[in-house]
């Protein structure tokens, strides 16, 4: 798989914000019947300077689910 179809590229460009490469790979595979792995989608994001905005860090002010509970 060397070349990405134009319709798949256009879809990824329009909807990558807030969607990580793993989820985007699953969405593209289901929607376009175009098999994409998470690592290939991660490379696509990197090669096209796309930042989904997902950091994986807790946001400031996050309240833990176990706050106030006894161990």
């Amino acid at each position: 798989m060397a070349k990405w179809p134009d319709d798949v590229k256009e879809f990824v460009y329009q909807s990558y914000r807030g969607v990580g490469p793993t989820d985007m790979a699953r969405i593209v595979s289901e929607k376009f019947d175009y098999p994409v792995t998470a690592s290939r989608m991660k490379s696509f994001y990197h090669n096209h300077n796309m930042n989904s905005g997902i950091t994986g860090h807790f946001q400031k002010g996050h309240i833990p689910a176990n706050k106030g509970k006894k161990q």
Side-chain angles (χ1 to χ4, degrees):
M1 286 187 181
K3 187 161 170 49
W4 290 77
D6 291 334
D7 55 342
V8 173
K9 286 197 308 189
E10 193 62 36
F11 174 78
V12 174
Y13 288 142
Q14 292 176 358
S15 58
Y16 74 94
R17 288 271 182 212
V19 182
T22 303
D23 291 333
M24 183 59 78
R26 182 183 46 78
I27 292 167
V28 167
S29 294
E30 291 172 359
K31 184 174 177 106
F32 294 97
D33 196 30
Y34 183 71
V36 179
T37 62
S39 63
R40 187 158 185 249
M41 186 58 70
K42 185 177 178 182
S43 296
F44 184 87
Y45 274 27
H46 177 75
N47 291 339
H48 294 89
N49 296 322
M50 301 167 92
N51 183 357
S52 66
I54 297 175
T55 62
H57 298 203
F58 289 117
Q59 299 296 322
K60 187 171 185 156
H62 171 77
I63 300 172
N66 61 347
K67 180 179 180 180
K69 296 184 180 180
K70 295 189 178 203
Q71 293 183 2

